[in-house]
Amino acid sequence: WGYSIATYTNNQLDILDYGIVQTKPSKTKDRQNIKDYLRCQHLYSHLLPLVKDIDRIVVELPTGSQASRAMVSYATCIAITACLSHANPNVHIVTPYQVKHIVDSSTASKDDVIDWVKHKHPNLNLPSKTKAEHICDSIVAIYAYLTQEDLLRKL
């Protein structure tokens, strides 16, 4: 789960912190549903302190998947986001389409998103590509939200 914490002043987004909350593969012989449950607990317990005192939370919610394991991730993301909204009701949702649109392509690849963020924020010291893609998704989600908010103000 990639996250980024930013401020937005004078039409400038400044990234203050970013990172990954990740789980490690379980080596236990527990059933898969128990492993999934423990992963959700881990993610929630590590994300909760990050969102308690944040002004706005922006989350890119997935739109679905055809693979059964990917659907578990889809459900996890939606459930954790819903739970986090009880700790901080200022949760704002953006779609993968909105995020890709910020990068100027409805078919933007992970590399396109990473390159876009690197261009906008060249001083970020991003980790390996696998981790960077999740962090960059969180940053571009903020831009998608800001664009959405700007459009709403113009209506």
Side-chain angles (χ1 to χ4, degrees):
W1 191 299
Y3 70 88
S4 52
I5 298 171
T7 58
Y8 183 71
T9 51
N10 300 324
N11 292 325
Q12 177 69 36
L13 187 70
D14 293 311
I15 309 301
L16 305 176
D17 190 21
Y18 54 91
I20 295 284
V21 177
Q22 71 182 64
T23 59
K24 294 186 174 153
S26 174
K27 295 181 182 180
T28 67
K29 294 187 186 233
D30 290 329
R31 293 187 323 256
Q32 188 60 51
N33 62 340
I34 300 299
K35 291 177 184 180
D36 293 339
Y37 171 79
L38 294 172
R39 264 190 223 103
C40 286
Q41 274 190 323
H42 177 86
L43 289 169
Y44 181 78
S45 69
H46 284 79
L47 290 167
L48 185 60
L50 293 173
V51 304
K52 278 196 169 185
D53 297 318
I54 297 292
D55 198 32
R56 288 184 188 101
I57 302 164
V58 179
V59 178
E60 176 191 358
L61 280 185
T63 54
S65 175
Q66 295 179 5
S68 63
R69 287 309 300 161
M71 280 305 290
V72 172
S73 294
Y74 165 89
T76 298
C77 182
I78 290 173
I80 288 175
T81 301
C83 291
L84 290 173
S85 72
H86 287 284
N88 185 330
N90 295 315
V91 174
H92 303 275
I93 305 302
V94 295
T95 66
Y97 174 79
Q98 289 171 295
V99 169
K100 288 179 187 284
H101 181 71
I102 293 298
V103 183
D104 288 332
S105 170
S106 62
T107 59
S109 69
K110 293 294 184 183
D111 286 333
D112 294 335
V113 172
I114 293 168
D115 291 344
W116 188 90
V117 169
K118 284 181 177 179
H119 176 74
K120 285 288 227 187
H121 300 276
N123 295 332
L124 292 181
N125 185 16
L126 294 170
S128 67
K129 180 182 172 185
T130 305
K131 292 180 182 179
E133 70 185 48
H134 298 296
I135 293 167
C136 291
D137 280 344
S138 74
I139 293 169
V140 179
I142 296 170
Y143 279 98
Y145 166 75
L146 292 170
T147 301
Q148 175 182 321
E149 285 298 296
D150 188 47
L151 291 174
L152 291 174
R153 274 189 285 259
K154 291 178 183 178
L155 291 178

